[in-house]
Amino acid sequence: MPSATSAKAKFDRCAPVATALHADYASRLSGLRAELKNAPYANPVAQLAYHISSQIEAGQTSCADLDSLIACLSDETFAARAANIGRYLNVEAVSRAKDRIKTIVDACALEGGYKVSFEAFEKRWRRIRIGAIFTAHPTFLLTQKTYTDLSRMAEGNAPETPPSYAPLPGITLEEEHTAAMTAIGRAKDALRHIYTEVFSAIRELYPEDWRRFSGFSFHVGTWVGYDLDGRSDVDWTHSLKFRLKEKQLQLQRYQAHASEIAGLLNEEHPLRPLLQNMQNAFHAAETLTAKQIAAAPAAGADASALSNFANAMTGKEEGRLISVRGFAAELEEALLTLEADDPAATPIALLKAEMDSCRLGAAEVHFRLNATQLNNAVRREFTLEQDLSKANRRIAARIADKVKAATPKAVNFASLDVERATAIRQFLLMSQIVKHVDADSPIRMLIAECESPLPPLIAAYFAKTFNVSANIDISPLFETPSALEHGDRIIESLLSIEEYRDLIARRGRLCIQTGFSDAGRFLGQIPATLAIERLQGKLAGLIEASGLADIDALVFDTHGESMGRGAHPRSLADRVDYAMSPWARRAFTNRNINLIHEMSFQGGDGYVLFGTETISLSTALGLIEAHGADTAAAENDPFYKNTDISLDLFNRIRSYQEHLLETPQYHRSLTAFGLSLLPKTGSRKSRRQSEIGGDHGPALRKIRAIPHNAILQQLGYLVNVAAGLGSAAQEDFEAISELMRRSDRMGRLGAMVAHARGLSSIKTFGAYATLYDAAFWATRPAGAEAANLFEPCFYLARLLGDDEQHIAMVRLAAHLRIDELQLQYLLNAEDDSRPIADAAAPERLTIDILHAVRIALIQHIFLLAAQIPPFSPRNDVSREDIMDLIFALRLDEALELLQRAYPIDAPAMDDYDVAETADYPAGRAAGYAEINTRLITPLRETSALLRHITAGIAFAFGAIG
């Protein structure tokens, strides 16, 4: 199998000039780095950026040359990312999939060299229960072809044509849903492959009992099209149409599988009529579902269109199918009649298992709201005036009484359309899905920003009121600092309420969601992870203490591909053990509680791990292996034995991060121009739709976690991962250093920080600060600059003289630099000879050249803009206002205003048919073609290059955010 690195050469497109520039800049940067030991205050990235900028202004290097260089550098980071994915998934081991699967089965079936009973085997197998949830926040940076190229390279195959790194022009919710369904389809194909081998291995071990094997312990889910947390642009018609499409896809799978099985049977086989009947039923249902999709109204459709659709959904037309339980039961009965060597035995077992797992949906659906939406919805029902964001026992008791007394209300599609409360409308939609689309599939109600027991209770009330209690699992999301700190008390409080306990007992599982995104943003990734682990462990104790017997504990860890969102970069096994540690899993095992662990795969970046058949198989099999690994060693991990040390460390890192994230310098540094470095990468806004606006202070909290992480990547320092450990370790340096060497848990946390540190550089962050340094611009003409740049430089120096941006970034860099050096001492504790001045990962050279090119291009943009002639204010917009937009890199807005101020075309005298003669002006009125040619057009061309660099840098971190 060829490596991804060798595949890179197949699309090497470096023009000679780009190759020369690459070699020159790499040599210069390496030399400047080497000089740091004599001049540690120097900034190699800023120095290289100035060199490139001088070349641009002198006409020695063109933007076209740099565009070619950007493509070359991005090829390197793209190929490196592909190679990392292949290593991360151990793709080469996929050729041993059969043996690996047999090892997993044997581990459940054998103890001390002896085979356990089939019942004991199944009990052990049930402990390997996994969910892969396909989510879609803004991480769709690239075209689908480029993502496919990335997956293909990860498995060792070169793309047929060079990939494009230009940002995706835009992506709709419909396109996100299609991408999710494609990835989910590959995941299910991989599971089918795995379980073919599982059934084969079980037949050998249990020839009399294998038919009773319960099937898939790995399920898939999605919230794409059902996530209303912080957005108001998803109408119920969108969600229902998506759910119908998912039903259609699954019906097509059932038809294909039934047809495949029928093809294995001879004409006299007794199961042929059953298979033919299934094919006919699935075909009729798929035909009807296609008609329903076609009839689905657009958002805001009139009552007539809605009525026609409603009647199409509720009619008794042929093909109406809302359950496959009957078919699954028939397959189970048929399976008992087959010999083990019957060619249809395994396919029938697989089809029955998929029916049990997927029912009439492509995946389990997760509806997502936030607590405020539920709180607001219940006010109308109960006339509550109190603040519902905090726990209130009296209100909780009142709502619990309402849950107990609630009686189901009949609803229809008109009910759904006239309802205005978002939360209630979601429950009405669930009710209609259960009645008219799929009666059996579980539906998850995820409650974001849940900081009290009230929102889950409110959800229980609406679930009972609209008759979906039997289908819904209510899952509070804990990710804010308050929620993580008090999450165990929230669960304990809910378990003390009889009505909620009854709901859990009927459903057979208690669900929670833990979020690594906002948690990593507000607490820092390492303390957030430890807070989540603590909550996971306490959940096991709470379930045991509750007395609820035989329920499952379902923990959905929502994290993305970025380190800033909790995806460990070392391996897929490390990713599992980081999000749900062996210690946390052990807490459930020791109490005989079945654990279902779900993990999210986020948008374009996450779907890459299911981008091809081979990659999907590697990912699915790796997840099963990681979750099936023995966790006994965790009980002796010194991280949990020496809790005084580990708890103090956690508190100190958390304190460092919380203080840092609240400083004005941090807010100012990230909000000034950071979002402008990011293209639009999803259908959801980068800021919550309810929170647009605000000054620099609050604005950072309004930026979602994924763009927040992406800004840190694009500015060169992963603050919320790499910062804090160095400073926190100083108070007990020897003990923490020893813990990092001896503890599996601490070693994994340290590896996360070390990886982030290797990709980060304070020098790079500081280089961006020079853009806003008035002294830099005032001093620059003292060099060898052309005389025509003197006045633009002085103008920039005057405008930036009172600007706080440079000071804020310099102060933040100084603060982080101390922690960075302390971290390096900790990481080098076993080898004091290693340098600490600029301990960058080898790939940092390529990344920093990209940063230097971008900074040089921004300098070019500033200089071009500074040469725009003064003009009279138009619509209250002045030249200085445009410069403010330029400094914030809001270039599209600035260019639009400049184009209005300096239009290319102007009317000509000959355009008018008037009787009166004139000899002035002669020909066409004065336009601004020269200003456009010399300044505005180059501004537009240069600004386009900035976002080309975004992808090249994002590849190094494995995600846009």
Side-chain angles (χ1 to χ4, degrees):
M1 179 180 290
S3 69
T5 304
S6 65
K8 166 187 172 291
K10 304 282 182 65
F11 61 85
D12 194 346
R13 52 187 158 193
C14 282
V17 64
T19 301
L21 288 175
H22 189 182
D24 177 34
Y25 297 164
S27 175
R28 285 178 182 273
L29 186 57
S30 297
L32 291 167
R33 282 180 171 180
E35 289 300 314
L36 283 173
K37 59 185 177 182
N38 300 318
Y41 47 81
N43 190 317
V45 177
Q47 290 170 282
L48 178 60
Y50 173 71
H51 170 74
I52 299 170
S53 175
S54 297
Q55 286 184 321
I56 295 172
E57 304 310 330
Q60 299 168 355
T61 300
S62 69
C63 286
D65 295 336
L66 292 176
D67 194 19
S68 179
L69 174 63
I70 291 166
C72 293
L73 295 169
S74 298
D75 281 350
E76 289 189 8
T77 57
F78 184 82
R81 180 177 180 183
N84 284 337
I85 292 172
R87 171 196 55 76
Y88 184 78
L89 299 177
N90 194 17
V91 169
E92 292 185 354
V94 77
S95 61
R96 297 186 287 103
K98 183 174 182 177
D99 292 338
R100 292 165 64 189
I101 294 166
K102 189 175 187 307
T103 298
I104 298 168
V105 173
D106 286 348
C108 292
L110 302 175
E111 183 174 4
Y114 295 94
K115 185 172 70 174
V116 302
S117 69
F118 181 76
E119 288 71 24
F121 165 78
E122 277 218 307
K123 185 175 181 180
R124 290 182 174 193
W125 185 266
R126 277 175 58 82
R127 296 200 182 280
I128 312 175
R129 301 181 70 184
I130 314 161
I133 312 302
F134 294 79
T135 62
H137 288 335
T139 58
F140 293 91
L141 175 64
L142 307 170
T143 65
Q144 185 55 57
K145 177 192 177 300
T146 307
Y147 280 123
T148 301
D149 289 343
L150 184 58
S151 295
R152 284 180 53 77
M153 283 190 71
E155 64 182 19
N157 296 306
E160 295 179 0
T161 57
S164 168
Y165 307 131
L168 194 64
I171 185 166
T172 65
L173 182 60
E174 288 74 14
E175 290 167 331
E176 289 177 347
H177 186 262
T178 298
M181 290 301 105
T182 301
I184 286 169
R186 290 200 186 98
K188 291 195 292 191
D189 288 343
L191 291 176
R192 187 173 178 82
H193 179 106
I194 290 170
Y195 274 87
T196 298
E197 300 298 338
V198 168
F199 275 108
S200 176
I202 294 174
R203 273 206 310 271
E204 291 182 15
L205 288 164
Y206 300 100
E208 301 300 322
D209 300 298
W210 67 272
R211 297 173 185 83
R212 295 192 288 122
F213 181 59
S214 58
F216 291 178
S217 59
F218 190 134
H219 64 270
V220 294
T222 185
W223 72 39
V224 183
Y226 309 95
D227 175 14
L228 271 67
D229 174 29
R231 64 188 297 174
S232 57
D233 59 326
V234 182
D235 188 75
W236 70 265
T237 56
H238 292 122
S239 298
L240 182 58
K241 193 170 184 177
F242 289 142
R243 190 61 185 82
L244 288 169
K245 286 182 178 179
E246 291 160 24
K247 179 177 182 177
Q248 182 183 38
L249 288 170
Q250 193 58 33
L251 286 167
Q252 290 169 352
R253 283 183 68 90
Y254 289 151
Q255 286 183 75
H257 295 331
S259 176
E260 175 189 344
I261 297 169
L264 299 172
L265 308 179
N266 59 40
E267 292 293 333
E268 291 76 30
H269 199 290
L271 295 186
R272 282 191 68 86
L274 171 63
L275 271 298
Q276 187 60 55
N277 180 47
M278 284 187 180
Q279 289 182 73
N280 294 339
F282 294 144
H283 176 72
E286 194 271 330
T287 300
L288 177 60
T289 304
K291 290 180 180 178
Q292 292 170 338
I293 293 170
D302 61 27
S304 175
L306 177 70
S307 299
N308 291 335
F309 170 68
N311 294 331
M313 287 293 299
T314 60
K316 303 301 181 182
E317 188 174 345
E318 181 187 3
R320 178 174 168 80
L321 181 67
I322 62 171
S323 176
V324 291
R325 283 187 179 183
F327 291 126
E330 288 181 304
L331 290 173
E332 184 174 8
E333 185 177 341
L335 195 60
L336 296 176
T337 69
L338 298 178
E339 297 296 330
D341 60 353
D342 191 304
T346 294
I348 283 179
L350 288 168
L351 178 56
K352 191 263 181 185
E354 186 162 335
M355 286 184 182
D356 288 340
S357 178
C358 297
R359 289 86 169 183
L360 281 170
E364 291 190 8
V365 169
H366 292 200
F367 281 80
R368 186 166 131 124
L369 294 166
N370 62 52
T372 300
Q373 289 169 309
L374 282 163
N375 291 343
N376 290 340
V378 85
R379 288 182 186 281
R380 189 180 71 188
E381 298 281 323
F382 298 164
T383 320
L384 297 172
E385 300 299 330
Q386 295 94 329
D387 178 8
L388 300 185
S389 64
K390 303 298 181 185
N392 184 309
R393 290 188 179 182
R394 186 173 60 83
I395 297 177
R398 188 176 169 190
I399 296 174
D401 288 340
K402 288 284 188 179
V403 175
K404 189 173 184 178
T407 56
K409 296 179 180 179
V411 299
N412 60 19
F413 282 102
S415 310
L416 180 54
D417 199 51
V418 300
E419 178 58 57
R420 297 297 91 192
T422 300
I424 296 176
R425 193 167 63 236
Q426 292 298 84
F427 284 93
L428 295 174
L429 177 56
M430 292 178 211
S431 177
Q432 293 303 92
I433 287 173
V434 169
K435 287 191 295 180
H436 304 298
V437 181
D438 181 356
D440 300 329
S441 291
I443 299 174
R444 193 82 50 83
M445 169 50 71
L446 303 174
I447 305 173
E449 300 174 0
C450 187
E451 297 185 344
S452 88
L454 299 183
L457 272 179
I458 295 168
Y461 167 73
F462 287 128
K464 189 173 180 183
T465 299
F466 299 114
N467 202 25
V468 289
S469 297
N471 300 77
I472 288 182
D473 291 305
I474 298 168
S475 178
L477 165 59
F478 304 118
E479 66 176 339
T480 63
S482 175
L484 287 173
E485 184 175 351
H486 303 297
D488 59 317
R489 298 180 204 170
I490 294 171
I491 295 298
E492 184 176 27
S493 177
L494 288 169
L495 289 174
S496 71
I497 299 171
E498 181 182 357
E499 290 71 22
Y500 200 84
R501 283 167 50 86
D502 289 346
L503 175 64
I504 292 170
R506 288 194 301 271
R507 291 293 304 146
R509 59 187 184 181
L510 175 79
C511 303
I512 70 166
Q513 180 185 356
T514 62
F516 287 74
S517 53
D518 280 336
R521 177 166 57 128
F522 295 135
L523 295 177
Q525 184 51 234
I526 300 304
T529 300
L530 294 176
I532 289 168
E533 180 184 35
R534 172 181 171 273
L535 177 59
Q536 292 166 342
K538 286 193 171 187
L539 178 65
L542 290 171
I543 292 175
E544 181 183 44
S546 73
L548 287 170
D550 299 325
I551 69 164
D552 296 331
L554 189 153
V555 178
F556 175 21
D557 288 323
T558 45
H559 62 297
E561 313 320 303
S562 164
M563 289 168 288
R565 299 195 68 238
H568 201 284
R570 195 160 59 185
S571 70
L572 189 61
D574 282 294
R575 174 176 177 160
V576 171
D577 287 347
Y578 180 83
M580 172 70 85
S581 70
W583 174 87
R585 300 206 299 274
R586 193 73 182 172
F588 294 92
T589 301
N590 289 343
R591 293 171 172 85
N592 290 314
I593 299 169
N594 286 326
L595 172 67
I596 306 172
H597 183 215
E598 295 181 339
M599 307 177 74
S600 63
F601 293 86
Q602 185 90 59
D605 295 316
Y607 300 173
V608 164
L609 300 185
F610 295 88
T612 67
E613 180 182 344
T614 298
I615 291 292
S616 296
L617 182 57
S618 296
T619 301
L621 185 51
L623 288 172
I624 293 172
E625 287 175 325
H627 282 88
D630 189 3
T631 58
E635 295 185 342
N636 296 315
D637 192 318
F639 187 84
Y640 308 104
K641 297 286 187 181
N642 303 329
T643 53
D644 289 346
I645 296 172
S646 54
L647 183 59
D648 285 349
L649 180 67
F650 159 74
N651 286 329
R652 288 196 296 269
I653 300 175
R654 174 174 176 167
S655 177
Y656 182 97
Q657 285 278 353
E658 287 181 328
H659 170 75
L660 180 66
L661 298 179
E662 291 298 326
T663 60
Q665 292 88 356
Y666 188 77
H667 282 243
R668 180 69 182 177
S669 296
L670 267 68
T671 58
F673 65 92
L675 273 177
S676 297
L677 298 176
L678 308 177
K680 180 176 171 59
T681 59
S683 67
R684 194 173 78 155
K685 304 288 187 183
S686 293
R687 298 175 190 264
R688 294 182 183 275
Q689 287 182 296
S690 60
E691 298 177 339
I692 302 297
D695 56 25
H696 286 297
L700 184 59
R701 283 190 172 270
K702 296 174 186 175
I703 295 174
R704 294 182 183 274
I706 291 171
H708 178 272
N709 292 327
I711 291 169
L712 294 176
Q713 295 172 12
Q714 297 299 319
L715 293 180
Y717 204 86
L718 292 181
V719 175
N720 60 353
V721 183
L725 177 58
S727 299
Q730 298 311 301
E731 292 190 27
D732 204 351
F733 185 88
E734 293 298 329
I736 292 169
S737 179
E738 178 72 8
L739 200 60
M740 288 186 68
R741 287 193 294 270
R742 294 180 52 237
S743 163
D744 178 74
R745 182 58 167 167
M746 188 66 210
R748 187 167 290 107
L749 296 172
M752 178 87 142
V753 174
H755 187 84
R757 166 66 189 96
L759 292 172
S760 300
S761 169
I762 289 297
K763 297 293 185 181
T764 302
F765 179 77
Y768 281 100
T770 62
L771 291 166
Y772 302 94
D773 183 4
F776 166 77
W777 293 108
T779 307
R780 179 166 176 163
E785 300 286 2
N788 67 314
L789 292 184
F790 285 14
E791 187 52 40
C793 285
F794 294 153
Y795 177 60
L796 291 169
R798 288 193 295 271
L799 287 180
L800 294 169
D802 295 325
D803 192 272
E804 299 176 356
Q805 181 67 30
H806 174 252
I807 295 173
M809 296 183 76
V810 168
R811 286 178 176 172
L812 178 60
H815 182 76
L816 291 172
R817 183 59 168 165
I818 296 170
D819 175 76
E820 179 188 48
L821 292 174
Q822 291 173 327
L823 173 62
Q824 208 55 48
Y825 278 117
L826 179 66
L827 297 177
N828 291 356
E830 295 184 69
D831 184 4
D832 294 335
S833 65
R834 290 166 61 189
I836 65 169
D838 191 30
E843 56 265 40
R844 188 75 235 180
L845 186 70
T846 299
I847 303 170
D848 278 346
I849 295 174
L850 281 167
H851 280 296
V853 170
R854 179 196 270 160
I855 293 168
L857 290 171
I858 294 174
Q859 290 178 10
H860 184 52
I861 287 170
F862 284 10
L863 287 167
L864 286 171
Q867 295 175 63
I868 299 291
F871 57 86
S872 300
R874 298 179 181 221
N875 298 322
D876 297 323
V877 175
S878 66
R879 182 191 186 198
E880 285 67 32
D881 292 329
I882 289 179
M883 290 305 298
D884 284 341
L885 292 174
I886 294 287
F887 290 146
L889 297 185
R890 292 164 60 179
L891 302 176
D892 291 341
E893 297 169 68
L895 285 165
E896 182 180 351
L897 292 172
L898 284 172
Q899 203 69 78
R900 290 183 199 168
Y902 296 102
I904 296 175
D905 296 323
M909 292 293 288
D910 293 343
D911 295 339
Y912 300 88
D913 183 14
V914 296
E916 185 178 13
T917 61
D919 55 15
Y920 179 85
R924 189 169 294 277
Y928 298 101
E930 188 273 336
I931 290 177
N932 274 271
T933 300
R934 183 171 60 86
L935 299 174
I936 297 177
T937 297
L939 264 175
R940 180 173 287 105
E941 293 171 348
T942 307
S943 68
L945 296 186
L946 295 185
R947 287 179 178 171
H948 290 184
I949 295 172
T950 298
I953 292 173
F955 293 149
F957 295 92
I960 183 59

Short mmCIF file of all heavy atoms in Angstrom, two decimals, residues 262 264-273:
data_model
loop_
_atom_site.label_atom_id
_atom_site.label_comp_id
_atom_site.label_asym_id
_atom_site.label_seq_id
_atom_site.Cartn_x
_atom_site.Cartn_y
_atom_site.Cartn_z
N ALA A 262 -32.20 -12.82 -1.65
CA ALA A 262 -33.02 -13.62 -2.57
C ALA A 262 -32.16 -14.23 -3.67
O ALA A 262 -32.41 -15.37 -4.12
CB ALA A 262 -34.13 -12.76 -3.17
N LEU A 264 -29.30 -15.37 -3.37
CA LEU A 264 -28.53 -16.50 -2.86
C LEU A 264 -29.36 -17.78 -2.76
O LEU A 264 -28.82 -18.86 -2.52
CB LEU A 264 -27.97 -16.16 -1.46
CG LEU A 264 -27.02 -14.96 -1.38
CD1 LEU A 264 -26.71 -14.66 0.09
CD2 LEU A 264 -25.73 -15.24 -2.14
N LEU A 265 -30.69 -17.65 -2.93
CA LEU A 265 -31.59 -18.78 -2.71
C LEU A 265 -32.04 -19.39 -4.04
O LEU A 265 -32.27 -18.67 -5.01
CB LEU A 265 -32.83 -18.32 -1.94
CG LEU A 265 -32.58 -17.54 -0.63
CD1 LEU A 265 -33.91 -17.14 0.00
CD2 LEU A 265 -31.77 -18.39 0.35
N ASN A 266 -32.14 -20.70 -4.06
CA ASN A 266 -32.67 -21.34 -5.27
C ASN A 266 -34.19 -21.19 -5.31
O ASN A 266 -34.81 -20.75 -4.33
CB ASN A 266 -32.25 -22.81 -5.34
CG ASN A 266 -32.74 -23.60 -4.13
OD1 ASN A 266 -33.86 -23.40 -3.67
ND2 ASN A 266 -31.89 -24.49 -3.62
N GLU A 267 -34.79 -21.55 -6.41
CA GLU A 267 -36.21 -21.32 -6.62
C GLU A 267 -37.08 -22.04 -5.59
O GLU A 267 -38.17 -21.58 -5.25
CB GLU A 267 -36.62 -21.77 -8.02
CG GLU A 267 -36.04 -20.92 -9.15
CD GLU A 267 -36.60 -19.51 -9.15
OE1 GLU A 267 -37.73 -19.31 -8.67
OE2 GLU A 267 -35.89 -18.60 -9.62
N GLU A 268 -36.59 -23.16 -5.06
CA GLU A 268 -37.41 -23.95 -4.14
C GLU A 268 -37.19 -23.57 -2.68
O GLU A 268 -37.84 -24.14 -1.79
CB GLU A 268 -37.08 -25.45 -4.31
CG GLU A 268 -37.53 -26.05 -5.63
CD GLU A 268 -36.63 -25.65 -6.77
OE1 GLU A 268 -35.43 -25.42 -6.51
OE2 GLU A 268 -37.12 -25.53 -7.91
N HIS A 269 -36.30 -22.64 -2.43
CA HIS A 269 -35.98 -22.32 -1.03
C HIS A 269 -37.23 -21.77 -0.34
O HIS A 269 -37.93 -20.89 -0.87
CB HIS A 269 -34.86 -21.28 -0.96
CG HIS A 269 -34.18 -21.24 0.38
ND1 HIS A 269 -34.79 -20.76 1.52
CD2 HIS A 269 -32.93 -21.65 0.76
CE1 HIS A 269 -33.95 -20.84 2.54
NE2 HIS A 269 -32.80 -21.39 2.11
N PRO A 270 -37.56 -22.25 0.87
CA PRO A 270 -38.80 -21.84 1.54
C PRO A 270 -38.84 -20.36 1.94
O PRO A 270 -39.93 -19.84 2.21
CB PRO A 270 -38.84 -22.74 2.78
CG PRO A 270 -37.43 -23.20 2.99
CD PRO A 270 -36.83 -23.31 1.62
N LEU A 271 -37.70 -19.70 1.95
CA LEU A 271 -37.69 -18.29 2.36
C LEU A 271 -37.87 -17.32 1.19
O LEU A 271 -37.96 -16.11 1.41
CB LEU A 271 -36.37 -17.96 3.08
CG LEU A 271 -36.13 -18.67 4.42
CD1 LEU A 271 -34.88 -18.14 5.08
CD2 LEU A 271 -37.33 -18.50 5.35
N ARG A 272 -37.90 -17.83 -0.03
CA ARG A 272 -38.04 -16.92 -1.17
C ARG A 272 -39.33 -16.10 -1.10
O ARG A 272 -39.32 -14.89 -1.35
CB ARG A 272 -38.00 -17.71 -2.49
CG ARG A 272 -36.59 -18.11 -2.91
CD ARG A 272 -36.56 -18.63 -4.35
NE ARG A 272 -36.84 -17.57 -5.29
CZ ARG A 272 -35.91 -16.74 -5.79
NH1 ARG A 272 -34.66 -16.84 -5.40
NH2 ARG A 272 -36.25 -15.83 -6.66
N PRO A 273 -40.47 -16.69 -0.76
CA PRO A 273 -41.70 -15.87 -0.66
C PRO A 273 -41.58 -14.75 0.37
O PRO A 273 -42.06 -13.64 0.14
CB PRO A 273 -42.77 -16.89 -0.26
CG PRO A 273 -42.26 -18.20 -0.74
CD PRO A 273 -40.77 -18.13 -0.57
#
